[in-house]
Amino acid sequence: MHAGALHDLGLDPATAEAEAGRVADQLHAVLTEPVVLGARTVQVRASVGVSVHPDDGAEFGQLLHRADARMYARKHPTAV
């Protein structure tokens, strides 16, 4: 997908990374809200990582690797 295609989808390439991060944060917040199931309240955990083309890579494998690395960094903020 080229930068023009991102704009066609409503994403400005200049702000796509920040917007993707905002959406990921919102998704994480919704997924981790407690849910009442009968007499129990349950809560799931979720991990989200974001990568943006072309800054994080041009190929799917590169983008997946970068998103996975960011997901790990969010789960383990003190890891080096």
Side-chain angles (χ1 to χ4, degrees):
M1 182 177 294
H2 58 83
L6 284 175
H7 187 56
D8 292 344
L9 293 173
L11 294 176
D12 179 354
T15 60
E17 184 174 357
E19 181 67 9
R22 184 187 65 75
V23 170
D25 289 342
Q26 288 179 334
L27 177 63
H28 183 267
V30 169
L31 291 174
T32 58
E33 287 181 12
V35 176
V36 177
L37 296 175
R40 295 180 154 202
T41 299
V42 297
Q43 187 170 10
V44 298
R45 294 190 301 181
S47 301
V48 180
V50 174
S51 62
V52 178
H53 176 275
D55 295 341
D56 293 318
E59 302 293 326
F60 176 77
Q62 296 168 317
L63 294 166
L64 180 61
H65 177 76
R66 187 64 178 143
D68 187 54
R70 286 191 176 131
M71 179 183 66
Y72 182 85
R74 285 184 69 141
K75 288 172 61 174
H76 308 283
T78 59
V80 176

